Amino acid sequence: MNVQWYPGHMTKAKRMMQENIKLIDLIIELLDARVPLSSRNPDIDELGKNKARLILLNKADLADERVNDAWMEYFKARGCFVVKVNAKSGAGLKQIQPVLQEACREKIERDRRRGILNRPVRAMVVGIPNVGKSTFINSFAGKACTKTGNKPGVTKGAQWIKLNKQLELLDTPGILWPKFEDQQVGMKLAMIGSIKDEILNTEELALSLIRFLLQWYPEALEKRYQLADELAAGTDPVAVLESVAKVRGCLVKGSQFDITKAAGILLDDYRSGRLGRITLEFPDSDEIGEKPETSDPGQE
């Protein structure tokens, strides 16, 4: 499956960001904690060079906590300010303000030397589609400032939001980049829901996810779908997906398995956290050990 999605409004959004970058003191880049590298838009590095950068590992509650800590160290070692958050629940948001002040300390001191007092820090909030930018802004502000939705492409334009006397945010649409050089990046973004499902082969995507889970988080499949016997008998991804169809009653024409429906259930269970806290990519193995610890899958 060749995964690619770059609708026209993303080109317009990128142009708008380029026009506004001169007004910005800081870039707040939201990454999905389950795929921190794959959810980094390489265009942002070029756009935001010479600007302070704060990385928010959002949806940290859905990612393996041990690997979250490893990714924190990974980005800190590369000179980034980083905070792990759950924008939906508000977890971690209180840590952001002091980090923002530290990230912009040079700018604040420079303003003070020039006699400019109390000018707010202006930050551009960036990230790929469905990473949670609008949810973060609303939670951080304590009120509904932007439109949110659990699908990519809800935010279409940019808007300035004054949070307080110290901080103004520029909300931007989620943008991808024109071509994924590595198709594994596209697959991972599809798995977390940052690419429209309508253009995807969900069965192939689910099988790819199962292969990963069998290697790193087999307990998640076993506990969520009661597949202990099936997994003991073998680890064929197709057989596992058929077992999911059987357990969830996904049938067509009598006894035939509805694999497409089962694939959708599996992907939804992963994206919502019902399979547990699962990270799809890790830093170098020497930073996290041989294998990440897994947590019990969540229950409905």
Side-chain angles (χ1 to χ4, degrees):
M1 178 171 59
N2 185 34
V3 179
Q4 201 64 55
W5 185 51
Y6 193 71
H9 76 269
M10 291 188 183
T11 302
K12 182 179 178 182
K14 181 180 176 182
R15 190 180 307 118
M16 175 276 301
M17 292 164 69
Q18 291 169 330
E19 292 170 354
N20 283 281
I21 195 66
K22 59 182 179 292
L23 307 173
I24 299 300
D25 304 305
L26 169 82
I27 289 179
I28 300 176
E29 182 180 11
L30 273 78
L31 305 180
D32 191 302
R34 296 166 294 180
V35 289
L37 286 187
S38 293
S39 58
R40 292 201 84 185
N41 185 336
D43 290 345
I44 298 300
D45 287 333
E46 178 62 25
L47 178 72
K49 61 184 179 182
N50 304 322
K51 298 290 182 180
R53 180 81 60 92
L54 169 60
I55 287 177
L56 300 183
L57 290 176
N58 193 29
K59 306 186 182 181
D61 58 308
L62 299 177
D64 191 318
E65 183 61 13
R66 183 182 175 194
V67 189
N68 283 344
D69 292 337
W71 280 118
M72 291 273 290
E73 294 305 314
Y74 174 93
F75 287 115
K76 287 179 181 178
R78 285 154 179 78
C80 299
F81 295 90
V82 56
V83 178
K84 59 183 176 182
V85 301
N86 174 3
K88 196 170 184 180
S89 71
L93 296 187
K94 290 183 179 179
Q95 302 175 36
I96 294 175
Q97 191 66 44
V99 177
L100 279 172
Q101 295 300 310
E102 175 64 20
C104 294
R105 184 172 56 181
E106 290 185 10
K107 174 262 175 192
I108 295 170
E109 288 296 328
R110 189 167 58 249
D111 281 353
R112 186 176 290 118
R113 289 195 298 269
R114 294 172 177 173
I116 303 172
L117 302 178
N118 301 320
R119 185 172 79 81
V121 169
R122 291 179 177 143
M124 179 184 287
V125 182
V126 302
I128 65 170
N130 204 32
V131 78
K133 295 182 303 301
S134 297
T135 300
F136 156 68
I137 291 173
N138 291 341
S139 296
F140 197 44
K143 60 184 178 181
C145 302
T146 66
K147 186 178 180 181
T148 64
N150 189 27
K151 60 181 180 179
V154 173
T155 302
K156 296 293 187 182
Q159 57 176 320
W160 280 101
I161 299 157
K162 186 173 183 178
L163 292 194
N164 50 51
K165 292 181 179 179
Q166 290 80 39
L167 182 63
E168 295 178 359
L169 300 181
L170 178 61
D171 186 25
T172 63
I175 63 169
L176 295 170
W177 49 107
K179 183 179 181 181
F180 300 132
E181 298 298 333
D182 181 357
Q183 272 300 301
Q184 284 301 309
V185 170
M187 291 288 282
K188 291 172 187 175
L189 295 183
M191 288 176 189
I192 65 171
S194 289
I195 295 175
K196 284 191 175 182
D197 284 336
E198 291 81 359
I199 70 168
L200 301 172
N201 182 327
T202 56
E203 295 173 32
E204 188 175 338
L205 192 62
L207 290 172
S208 182
L209 177 59
I210 289 171
R211 291 186 192 96
F212 177 86
L213 294 174
L214 288 172
Q215 179 179 358
W216 291 101
Y217 299 91
E219 301 88 350
L221 290 168
E222 178 183 332
K223 293 181 179 180
R224 179 65 183 168
Y225 305 114
Q226 296 84 50
L227 300 181
D229 293 340
E230 289 83 353
L231 294 182
T235 54
D236 175 52
V238 175
V240 171
L241 189 55
E242 289 177 347
S243 296
V244 172
K246 181 179 179 181
V247 169
R248 288 292 182 259
C250 303
L251 303 173
V252 292
K253 298 180 180 179
S255 59
Q256 294 292 317
F257 294 127
D258 188 339
I259 297 300
T260 300
K261 184 176 180 181
I265 289 173
L266 179 78
L267 291 170
D268 187 60
D269 281 349
Y270 171 65
R271 292 168 181 172
S272 64
R274 288 190 289 269
L275 275 175
R277 300 182 64 169
I278 295 169
T279 300
L280 293 179
E281 58 190 15
F282 316 130
D284 293 337
S285 58
D286 60 347
E287 297 184 54
I288 62 170
E290 292 184 1
K291 182 180 178 182
E293 295 174 353
T294 59
S295 52
D296 289 342
Q299 300 297 319
E300 286 184 293

